[in-house]
Amino acid sequence: RMLSGYKPKNDVKDSYKVLELEEGCSLDDVRNSYHNLAKKYHPDSSSGMADSRAFIRVEEAYRVVLGDLAAKQKSDSGEEEEDQFKSKSLQHRHYLSFEGVGIGTPSQREKQYMQFRVDRATEQVLEYRQQRLESRYAGSDLSRAQDVRQSKKVKITQAVERLVEDLIQESMAKGDFDNLSGKGKPLQKFSHSPHIDPMTHNLNRILIDNGYQPEWILLQKEIRETIERLRKSIVASRRKLGEPMTLPEQKQWGCVCEQFAEDIRKLNKRVDNFNLVVPILSRQMVHFSTDKEILRARKTYEAVVEKVSDPGTKENGGEEGKRFGWKSSLLRWLKL
């Protein structure tokens, strides 16, 4: 204010005019008018009519009007209500940025607001960590409950095993197992090879008796059945097209070959899986070649066509022999 060179005027009428009010208005009207003018002329506001000198005039007028209203009210109601009309702190700051945080100059309020954001972020991080710890402890409680249930199952299983063992021992003590066939004779279920573990041999025998097959045997069987099915299907497709093939039939044969190549590619993936699990190196399989399989299908088709055509010629020859056989037999009789 000293640098601006403005000299305030304490005229009450001029102050009312600056606030755009009339004498005799209420205290709420004065405050509302001051708030609107502060938002309009304050230099920190985003208004296009911001002016520091106009804002200073509004502030001085506001103080003068407040003093005039306080004096009138004091004269009417006495000194008891004097504190009610004292000038209060300016309320225009909450219209500015920084979420209403901080006091002082804009730069000071910006620093205070940055510190406020840091504190708020720290509190949020702490709350997040607390929630994670609570959820982790809740998950640990669930795992503990599962461990308790699993331990109960183990205890029950062990109790059943002990009960069965006790029943077996009791039966042996009573002599229930004395009349079994083959008592006192050696077991013949073990392998004669001394290099094989008897326990492993018995386990394998039990699995075989119950129809168990290892994974690599099932994969090998599946691969063989799949390649046989693919070979039969491509030969059947070739026989449907016939010979010679027209242009549309050639296109159809190309589509059949493309689908066959895709099936072979999938089958080779199964071969890779089989080679990973097969226990014997000599049992591993090689990939199937699409070109070789298509060539094989063509040869099979040609062989089938030749077999179909040969019986026809033989039948024709047989008919001709039957037709002309009586003449040859007559000539032979005449010669004799």
Side-chain angles (χ1 to χ4, degrees):
R1 295 174 186 175
M2 293 175 64
L3 294 175
S4 64
Y6 171 74
K7 296 181 180 180
K9 298 180 180 180
N10 295 330
D11 191 5
V12 178
K13 293 182 180 181
D14 294 338
S15 299
Y16 277 104
K17 291 180 181 180
V18 171
L19 294 177
E20 300 178 356
L21 297 173
E22 296 180 357
E23 294 185 8
C25 60
S26 62
L27 183 61
D28 294 334
D29 295 337
V30 175
R31 289 174 181 173
N32 294 333
S33 178
Y34 171 71
H35 291 164
N36 295 331
L37 294 174
K39 288 190 292 183
K40 184 177 180 180
Y41 295 115
H42 198 279
D44 294 338
S45 64
S46 59
S47 176
M49 301 180 65
D51 187 3
S52 60
R53 295 186 178 182
F55 176 73
I56 292 172
R57 295 192 192 97
V58 170
E59 186 179 2
E60 293 293 339
Y62 176 65
R63 295 180 182 276
V64 172
V65 171
L66 283 180
D68 182 63
L69 290 176
K72 291 181 179 180
Q73 190 69 22
K74 184 177 179 181
S75 60
D76 294 337
S77 59
E79 298 180 358
E80 295 181 0
E81 301 179 0
E82 183 180 0
D83 296 335
Q84 181 180 357
F85 297 95
K86 288 185 178 179
S87 60
K88 298 183 179 181
S89 59
L90 304 181
Q91 301 294 326
H92 62 276
R93 293 294 183 185
H94 68 279
Y95 294 104
L96 305 179
S97 57
F98 309 123
E99 300 181 12
V101 176
I103 57 175
T105 61
S107 59
Q108 293 175 351
R109 284 186 282 111
E110 183 178 3
K111 292 180 181 179
Q112 295 172 10
Y113 177 66
M114 294 299 294
Q115 184 63 36
F116 168 75
R117 291 184 61 187
V118 171
D119 296 339
R120 184 170 59 184
T122 305
E123 292 178 358
Q124 292 176 355
V125 170
L126 292 176
E127 291 178 358
Y128 173 72
R129 290 181 178 177
Q130 183 179 0
Q131 292 176 0
R132 286 191 59 185
L133 290 175
E134 290 177 355
S135 61
R136 185 178 302 176
Y137 284 130
S140 63
D141 293 339
L142 293 176
S143 61
R144 289 175 185 173
Q146 292 178 358
D147 295 340
V148 170
R149 289 195 294 269
Q150 188 67 23
S151 62
K152 289 182 179 179
K153 290 182 181 179
V154 172
K155 290 180 181 178
I156 293 172
T157 304
Q158 293 176 355
V160 172
E161 291 177 354
R162 287 196 299 269
L163 178 60
V164 172
E165 185 66 25
D166 293 340
L167 293 174
I168 293 174
Q169 294 295 333
E170 184 179 355
S171 299
M172 291 176 63
K174 291 179 180 180
D176 295 339
F177 299 144
D178 294 339
N179 299 325
L180 295 177
S181 60
K183 178 182 178 182
K185 297 180 181 180
L187 296 175
Q188 301 296 330
K189 296 181 179 179
F190 295 105
S191 175
H192 298 287
S193 177
H195 304 289
I196 299 178
D197 183 21
M199 182 63 69
T200 304
H201 176 74
N202 283 338
L203 290 175
N204 292 334
R205 179 184 56 79
I206 292 171
L207 292 174
I208 292 172
D209 293 342
N210 288 275
Y212 171 78
Q213 292 181 351
E215 182 182 1
W216 64 275
I217 292 180
L218 296 176
L219 281 175
Q220 187 180 24
K221 182 179 179 181
E222 183 182 357
I223 290 171
R224 289 177 178 175
E225 292 177 353
T226 304
I227 190 63
E228 290 297 329
R229 177 175 55 81
L230 292 176
R231 288 170 179 173
K232 290 180 181 179
S233 64
I234 193 171
V235 172
S237 300
R238 184 65 185 87
R239 291 183 63 182
K240 288 180 180 180
L241 296 175
E243 187 70 28
M245 291 188 295
T246 61
L247 184 60
E249 291 176 345
Q250 291 179 0
K251 292 182 179 180
Q252 187 176 358
W253 173 248
C255 296
V256 171
C257 293
E258 290 179 359
Q259 183 63 35
F260 181 76
E262 180 66 20
D263 296 336
I264 291 294
R265 186 182 63 82
K266 294 179 180 179
L267 184 61
N268 289 332
K269 288 185 178 180
R270 296 183 184 178
V271 172
D272 294 335
N273 296 332
F274 169 78
N275 293 334
L276 290 175
V277 298
V278 64
I280 305 173
L281 186 63
S282 60
R283 292 280 186 174
Q284 290 189 345
M285 302 175 65
V286 296
H287 284 184
F288 295 96
S289 175
T290 305
D291 298 334
K292 291 182 180 180
E293 293 295 333
I294 293 176
L295 182 61
R296 180 175 179 174
R298 289 178 179 175
K299 292 181 179 179
T300 305
Y301 167 71
E302 293 174 357
V304 170
V305 171
E306 290 177 0
K307 287 182 181 179
V308 171
S309 60
D310 289 342
T313 56
K314 291 182 180 178
E315 290 177 0
N316 294 333
E319 291 177 357
E320 291 177 358
K322 291 179 181 179
R323 186 182 303 173
F324 299 102
W326 63 274
K327 293 182 180 180
S328 59
S329 61
L330 180 60
L331 290 174
R332 287 178 185 177
W333 181 76
L334 290 174
K335 288 180 180 180
L336 292 173

